[in-house]
């Protein structure tokens, strides 16, 4: 129901835009989030956006990443700039029927399959 795309290999300082296309759910009724997981590390919040457009970001990506949503297109986006090697991870999108506690993975009802982002020269 959630299909993440847009990952790839990028040099440090570069940019990528991830997309998360939703199907089979009423997208406008769901908050959306992006999480990431690097090898040997816990899954962590990248960004979340409520149904009303309020956003929350992980501390390590503030001022570099921007989450957005396009309800008519049933798609959420994550614009990533000034990428660093430590941003390397599998990035997952997720949908939540609640607008609260968007920083927590347990809040989310549906998860996409993940897309790999590798930042390396």
């Amino acid at each position: 129901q959630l299909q993440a795309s847009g990952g790839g290999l990028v040099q440090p300082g570069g940019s990528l835009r991830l997309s998360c296309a939703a199907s089979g759910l009423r997208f406008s009724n769901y908050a959306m989030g992006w999480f990431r997981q690097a090898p040997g590390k816990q899954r962590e919040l990248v960004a979340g956006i409520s149904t009303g457009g309020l956003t929350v970001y992980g501390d390590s990506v503030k001022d570099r990443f921007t989450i957005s949503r396009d309800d008519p297109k049933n798609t959420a986006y994550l614009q990533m700039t000034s990428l660093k090697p430590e941003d390397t991870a599998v990035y997952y999108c997720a949908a939540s029927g609640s607008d609260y506690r968007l920083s927590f993975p347990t809040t989310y009802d549906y998860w996409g399959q993940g897309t790999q982002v590798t930042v390396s020269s």
Side-chain angles (χ1 to χ4, degrees), residues 2 20-22 25 27 30-35 45 47-51 54 56 67-69 71 74-77 93-96 98-99 102 108 110:
L2 298 178
C20 178
L25 53 82
F27 184 78
Y30 285 82
M32 299 298 295
W34 288 96
F35 289 77
L45 172 75
I49 185 166
S50 72
T51 56
L54 296 178
V56 59
I67 189 171
S68 62
R69 61 188 298 151
D71 287 354
N74 292 344
T75 303
Y77 302 97
C93 65
S96 169
S98 171
D99 272 338
L102 296 183
Y108 293 82
Y110 302 103

Side-chain angles (χ1 to χ4, degrees), residues 41-59:
K41 295 188 176 182
Q42 287 189 336
R43 191 168 296 192
E44 65 173 357
L45 172 75
V46 178
I49 185 166
S50 72
T51 56
L54 296 178
T55 58
V56 59
Y57 292 93
D59 288 341

Side-chain angles (χ1 to χ4, degrees), residues 91-107:
Y91 283 69
Y92 298 90
C93 65
S96 169
S98 171
D99 272 338
Y100 300 99
R101 298 174 58 85
L102 296 183
S103 299
F104 301 94
T106 53
T107 296

